[in-house]
Amino acid sequence: MYIHGFMSAHHQNIRIAVDAVVFGYQKSKLYVLLIQQKFGSQNTYWALPGGLVQEDETLIEAVKRELKEETNVAVNYLEQLYTFGDDITRDPRNRVISVAYFALVDSSKLTLIANTDADHVSWVEIDKIPNLAFDHNEIVQMGLQRLKNKLTYQPIGFDLLPQKFLFSQLENLYMTIIGKEIDRRNFRKKMLSFGFITETEEFANKKTGRPAKLYTFNVSEYKRLEKEGIYFEIKLA
Amino acid sequence: MYIHGFMSAHHQNIRIAVDAVVFGYQKSKLYVLLIQQKFGSQNTYWALPGGLVQEDETLIEAVKRELKEETNVAVNYLEQLYTFGDDITRDPRNRVISVAYFALVDSSKLTLIANTDADHVSWVEIDKIPNLAFDHNEIVQMGLQRLKNKLTYQPIGFDLLPQKFLFSQLENLYMTIIGKEIDRRNFRKKMLSFGFITETEEFANKKTGRPAKLYTFNVSEYKRLEKEGIYFEIKLA
DNA sequence: TAAATTTGTGTAAAATAAACGCAAATATTA
DNA sequence: TAATATTTGCGTTTATTTTACACAAATTTA
């Protein structure tokens, strides 16, 4: 019987990488962070940020490092998504297994910071994503699915919004990402009923319509309620 | 900028393994499939079945192969669980990243088949699992959490039961795994309302009580309903 | 000053979930 | 043989949650 993690008969030549699907949201549009990669001297592809894992770093450290190096973006939310590694036909000498991560940033980060190689980093609208390198389109799709699902059972939408937001922004975010109509009044009632959304004294300056209060997501209160066993769920017919 | 998947500066010496958390259920008890491993000449540990991925096989093929080789168990349900690889302190020269899989077998498979090295393979009750090798206790916990969660939003419990089962078995399975009381009548009503459970003409032979009909999970009907967008959910107060 | 726009609140009806009781069919026991 | 214990199968009532829907308030623009 083989001894797990120790010697094996023939030397294994598989490399391990991490990739990140980073979502951003602004004005009813969902974006994914992409970088441009050159293959050889001619082919250029868009791809997800990522790269090989170094021996002395954890997987999540590797993701953060690559995001920093390649895009200079720091994320608000980060979790493992899925591990892709079934493309064994491409080149067995260079097989790469990629641990994909799922990340969210708030809308203030959608303008890329100066010291980035801005020509080669870009926020791309979700439905305008071109053919990406490797299996990255598949990874994006899985990330999108994760986002849609999580939105309904975890209060994760706040990580895509400014710290202070309008209720209408939250509504639009849900409608945009899940792609369904929501009754504004029922949505508001439900969201407020959980008790982790705090109304601030501030008003947003909008051009039109009745002045609207700004709200915040009360993280510590959410954590407290979570421990008590509250059950967050937003159903969208 | 580093070119993804191609050469990197220093050679990466990380190996990739797969491990499986295989759950089985029988008579209101939940079991996990474990194997015994020797480390050197003295230390023996129980561990999850698994091993290094070969270069010419997909991850899922690797899991199935290891399960076959080490335990001779074929699973009914198999999906990726999580990738563990943050223990970089143990021995950097032998860092292993493990892609853990989550699997279910029906109760007929709980008696290990003869040609297995039965002394070194065992079904262990979930709350009698000893200290396992590596981070395998953590993997089991995550598997258990996945099982609990999935049970509520995917009709996965049937993969732990015989093809023909009693309603009381299904109830007990839910109560055992989620660890909460269920109202028998409401549970039955809810389950039947989905329309993918078929009543057979057969009766189970029990020693006591009113004779009970056997039921089956109608997979094709479930798939049809799934396409139509039905929403399976079992809530347990 | 009227119109357009967006916010904020409430209520009634419908659907779903929770709580609960009892008869039926068997094996076992008195 | 009759009473008892055990488990199945079904139905009803009540409480809770979700859905559908209307109007007034506060601002800017025409």
Side-chain angles (χ1 to χ4, degrees):
Chain A
M1 187 182 298
Y2 139 67
I3 304 302
H4 183 143
F6 281 39
M7 291 309 295
S8 71
H10 68 111
H11 184 252
Q12 193 192 48
N13 186 33
I14 304 177
R15 276 178 287 179
I16 182 109
V18 288
D19 289 298
V21 193
V22 185
F23 289 104
Y25 172 85
Q26 203 168 62
K27 291 178 185 162
S28 298
K29 282 180 182 166
L30 185 65
Y31 297 86
V32 175
L33 183 61
L34 296 180
I35 64 168
Q36 224 170 11
Q37 280 193 338
K38 292 195 192 80
F39 293 93
S41 57
Q42 25 189 343
N43 290 351
T44 300
Y45 269 98
W46 287 96
L48 295 174
L52 291 187
V53 176
Q54 293 173 3
E55 303 210 344
D56 59 349
E57 64 184 357
T58 63
L59 295 173
I60 217 158
E61 283 166 359
V63 179
K64 287 180 182 165
R65 178 182 52 72
E66 292 284 355
L67 280 173
K68 173 77 179 165
E69 287 175 10
E70 295 182 333
T71 71
N72 204 27
V73 167
V75 299
N76 293 345
Y77 183 88
L78 183 61
E79 69 171 26
Q80 195 180 297
L81 176 61
Y82 198 79
T83 297
F84 296 80
D86 288 346
D87 188 0
I88 53 184
T89 59
R90 182 155 37 99
D91 179 1
R93 299 269 320 150
N94 276 307
R95 180 167 174 195
V96 175
I97 285 177
S98 162
V99 184
Y101 278 76
F102 168 88
L104 304 176
V105 301
D106 69 89
S107 47
S108 74
K109 305 222 178 74
L110 286 205
T111 48
L112 293 163
I113 295 169
N115 76 340
T116 313
D117 188 1
D119 286 352
H120 300 102
V121 182
S122 180
W123 287 102
V124 180
E125 246 183 85
I126 186 78
D127 47 357
K128 289 178 182 162
I129 292 178
N131 266 356
L132 304 178
F134 310 117
D135 46 5
H136 287 190
N137 288 94
E138 191 187 346
I139 300 180
V140 170
Q141 282 314 304
M142 192 172 287
L144 180 59
Q145 197 57 55
R146 174 78 59 99
L147 178 59
K148 286 181 179 176
N149 291 340
K150 280 232 151 178
L151 227 37
T152 70
Y153 65 82
Q154 203 178 308
I156 209 181
F158 307 101
D159 288 310
L160 289 167
L161 289 177
Q163 214 226 326
K164 292 174 183 177
F165 55 86
L166 301 171
F167 237 99
S168 55
Q169 292 179 298
L170 189 60
E171 292 156 28
N172 288 329
L173 185 147
Y174 270 82
M175 289 197 285
T176 301
I177 296 176
I178 308 198
K180 284 177 179 158
E181 282 298 304
I182 297 177
D183 182 280
R184 192 169 57 85
R185 296 154 290 187
N186 293 336
F187 178 81
R188 182 191 184 96
K189 234 179 305 175
K190 184 75 185 172
M191 273 289 183
L192 287 172
S193 75
F194 294 115
F196 52 61
I197 295 183
T198 308
E199 179 181 306
T200 73
E201 294 304 307
E202 291 175 65
F203 285 79
N205 41 349
K206 311 183 290 121
K207 297 119 218 154
T208 176
R210 173 173 172 174
K213 291 196 191 106
L214 288 167
Y215 296 81
T216 61
F217 173 58
N218 188 332
V219 182
S220 58
E221 179 64 4
Y222 172 66
K223 286 188 180 157
R224 196 184 66 73
L225 292 165
E226 200 185 16
K227 274 181 200 151
E228 282 186 3
I230 68 143
Y231 189 55
F232 176 76
E233 189 174 26
I234 294 286
K235 280 194 200 159
L236 300 175
Chain B
M1 187 184 300
Y2 140 64
I3 304 302
H4 183 142
F6 280 41
M7 292 309 295
S8 72
H10 68 112
H11 183 251
Q12 194 192 48
N13 187 33
I14 304 176
R15 277 176 287 177
I16 183 110
V18 287
D19 288 299
V21 193
V22 186
F23 288 104
Y25 172 85
Q26 203 168 61
K27 291 178 184 160
S28 298
K29 281 181 182 166
L30 185 64
Y31 298 86
V32 175
L33 183 61
L34 296 179
I35 62 167
Q36 223 169 13
Q37 280 193 340
K38 293 195 193 79
F39 292 94
S41 56
Q42 26 190 343
N43 290 351
T44 299
Y45 269 98
W46 287 96
L48 295 173
L52 291 187
V53 175
Q54 292 173 4
E55 302 210 345
D56 59 350
E57 64 184 356
T58 63
L59 295 173
I60 216 156
E61 283 166 358
V63 180
K64 287 180 182 165
R65 179 182 51 72
E66 291 284 355
L67 279 173
K68 173 78 180 164
E69 288 175 11
E70 295 182 332
T71 71
N72 205 28
V73 168
V75 300
N76 292 345
Y77 183 88
L78 183 61
E79 71 172 24
Q80 196 182 297
L81 177 60
Y82 197 79
T83 297
F84 296 80
D86 287 347
D87 188 1
I88 54 184
T89 59
R90 182 153 38 97
D91 179 1
R93 298 270 318 151
N94 275 307
R95 181 168 174 194
V96 175
I97 286 177
S98 161
V99 185
Y101 278 75
F102 167 90
L104 304 177
V105 302
D106 68 89
S107 47
S108 74
K109 306 221 178 75
L110 286 205
T111 46
L112 293 163
I113 295 168
N115 75 341
T116 313
D117 188 0
D119 286 352
H120 300 101
V121 182
S122 180
W123 287 102
V124 180
E125 246 184 85
I126 186 77
D127 46 357
K128 289 178 183 165
I129 291 178
N131 266 357
L132 304 179
F134 308 119
D135 46 5
H136 287 191
N137 288 93
E138 192 188 345
I139 300 180
V140 170
Q141 282 315 304
M142 191 173 288
L144 180 58
Q145 197 57 55
R146 174 78 58 98
L147 178 58
K148 286 181 180 178
N149 291 341
K150 279 232 150 177
L151 227 38
T152 70
Y153 65 83
Q154 203 178 308
I156 208 182
F158 306 102
D159 288 311
L160 289 167
L161 290 178
Q163 214 226 328
K164 292 175 184 175
F165 55 87
L166 300 172
F167 237 100
S168 54
Q169 292 179 298
L170 189 60
E171 291 156 29
N172 288 329
L173 184 147
Y174 270 81
M175 289 197 284
T176 300
I177 296 177
I178 309 199
K180 285 177 179 159
E181 283 299 303
I182 296 177
D183 182 279
R184 192 169 55 85
R185 295 151 291 187
N186 291 337
F187 178 80
R188 182 192 183 95
K189 234 180 302 176
K190 183 74 185 172
M191 273 289 183
L192 287 173
S193 75
F194 294 115
F196 52 61
I197 294 182
T198 308
E199 179 182 307
T200 72
E201 294 304 308
E202 291 175 67
F203 285 79
N205 42 348
K206 313 182 290 120
K207 296 121 215 150
T208 177
R210 173 173 170 173
K213 290 194 193 109
L214 288 166
Y215 295 80
T216 61
F217 173 58
N218 189 331
V219 181
S220 58
E221 179 64 5
Y222 172 66
K223 286 187 180 155
R224 196 184 66 74
L225 291 165
E226 199 184 16
K227 272 181 200 151
E228 282 186 4
I230 67 142
Y231 188 56
F232 175 76
E233 188 173 26
I234 293 286
K235 281 193 198 159
L236 301 174

